[in-house]
Amino acid sequence: MFAVLVTALAFSSCGKDNPGGGDGGWTGEGSVTGTWHLAGWNSLQAADVYLSLENDGTFDLYQRIYSPYYEHYDGTWHLDGNTLGGTYSDGTAWAGTYSVSFSGDGDRMQLVLNGDSSDTSVFTRSEIPDEITSGDFGTRTSAGMAGGKRFL
């Protein structure tokens, strides 16, 4: 009985693994940690984004938006309930915080920008291709860019 109680407390105290909340077919059951690939972002079809959210609160973002090459950004993220936010390694905050919800199986994550529900993106669990992380697709790091449009 004690082991069950300890296990239940451990999972309930881990905000990054169970954000809670959600509606309209999206639930709070899921984990933001892992690697994700953009499946849809409003009506924009030309974007390609990979996002890795690590257990230690760091992230890597590989994006190809309005550009022929992938841009790499990194930084830290935090989760408060079902609200995801973050800061890039150069100290710039994300565009805002996002309400997070998941599909029933937890393999699709929806991010809705708080204060602008028209900015909605859906991600599916997916590994980031080696060609992107290695730079074979012309990936540039954030250190070499000034003021580029950032996905988050």
Side-chain angles (χ1 to χ4, degrees):
M1 184 76 146
F2 179 74
V4 172
L5 178 60
V6 169
T7 303
L9 287 173
F11 283 138
S12 68
S13 67
C14 188
K16 289 182 181 173
D17 289 336
N18 188 6
D23 58 29
W26 296 90
T27 70
E29 299 303 318
S31 172
V32 298
T33 57
T35 55
W36 301 91
H37 184 224
L38 183 67
W41 180 28
N42 301 331
S43 61
L44 183 62
Q45 301 297 322
D48 193 24
V49 177
Y50 287 90
L51 176 62
S52 176
L53 298 166
E54 300 295 329
N55 283 323
D56 65 0
T58 60
F59 75 88
D60 284 286
L61 174 71
Y62 295 88
Q63 67 176 40
R64 188 171 63 192
I65 303 173
Y66 311 118
S67 172
Y69 52 84
Y70 284 89
E71 298 166 325
H72 174 234
Y73 295 97
D74 59 9
T76 59
W77 64 275
H78 59 274
L79 189 67
D80 182 13
N82 71 335
T83 302
L84 178 67
T87 304
Y88 292 97
S89 59
D90 68 0
T92 303
W94 287 2
T97 59
Y98 297 83
S99 294
V100 180
S101 54
F102 297 90
S103 61
D105 62 6
D107 286 339
R108 290 173 60 85
M109 176 175 67
Q110 178 177 263
L111 300 179
V112 179
L113 182 63
N114 289 320
D116 184 3
S117 61
S118 68
D119 189 341
T120 300
S121 54
V122 175
F123 289 83
T124 57
R125 287 196 186 276
S126 175
E127 294 301 315
I128 302 172
D130 290 338
E131 296 83 11
I132 294 173
T133 59
S134 70
D136 288 349
F137 282 154
T139 305
R140 296 183 182 186
T141 63
S142 59
M145 296 176 287
K149 167 84 171 123
R150 299 175 186 194
F151 182 76
L152 296 171

